[in-house]
């Protein structure tokens, strides 16, 4: 195993663990309410509340996160799956990053420095890992 492979596995583990953790948490009423402002203010997602309940939307997102985590893990054994799992993960993280532009009040000035809700910004790194999963699947 090369250092690049080891680095990828560590990064992939971080993404998968986070997707599982956050995906499972989506099934709780606390997380369903926590994501409500983000989903409700998003022009491509707000319609979901017209079809499902607050908990139903959160469950749907949680299922997607758990399936993507599973796909990323399975891509280690079945590399072509990495193309699809990486694309789905990229979509999740791009949507999450778009909350930086659709969620009112996410940008604030503190002591003259623009700050954001930093938990959203971690998805820049996760997006990179997802794109790498896609790239590795093509190379396999």
């Amino acid at each position: 195993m090369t250092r690049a492979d080891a680095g990828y596995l560590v990064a992939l583990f971080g993404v998968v663990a986070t997707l599982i953790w956050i995906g499972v948490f989506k099934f709780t009423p606390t997380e369903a309410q926590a994501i409500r402002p983000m989903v409700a203010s998003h022009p491509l997602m707000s319609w979901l509340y017209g079809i499902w309940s607050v908990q139903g939307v959160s469950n749907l997102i949680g299922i997607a996160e758990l399936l993507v985590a599973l796909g990323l893990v399975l891509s280690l054994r079945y590399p072509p799956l990495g193309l699809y799992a990486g694309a789905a993960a990229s979509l999740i993280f791009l949507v999450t990053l778009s909350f930086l532009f659709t969620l009112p009040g996410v940008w604030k000035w503190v002591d003259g420095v623009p700050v954001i809700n930093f938990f959203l910004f971690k998805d820049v790194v996760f997006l990179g890992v997802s794109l790498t999963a896609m790239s590795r699947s093509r190379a396999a």
Side-chain angles (χ1 to χ4, degrees), residues 18-20 22-27 31-32 34-36 38-40 42 44-46 48-49 52-69 88 91-93 95-96 99:
T18 302
L19 282 169
I20 292 170
I22 293 172
V24 167
F25 196 42
K26 291 287 189 298
F27 291 91
E31 180 67 357
I35 67 169
R36 186 178 190 177
M38 289 181 275
V39 175
H42 198 282
L44 300 177
M45 296 181 74
S46 60
L48 293 169
Y49 290 125
W52 294 290
S53 67
V54 171
Q55 188 62 59
V57 170
S58 190
N59 291 353
L60 182 67
I61 294 168
I63 290 167
E65 290 168 339
L66 293 171
L67 288 173
V68 168
L91 179 63
I92 286 173
F93 300 130
V95 168
T96 303
F99 293 144

Side-chain angles (χ1 to χ4, degrees), residues 22 31 38 96 99 103 116-123:
I22 293 172
E31 180 67 357
M38 289 181 275
T96 303
F99 293 144
L103 181 63
I116 58 168
N117 197 332
F118 288 107
F119 90 93
L120 295 172
F121 206 68
K122 71 177 177 342
D123 286 11

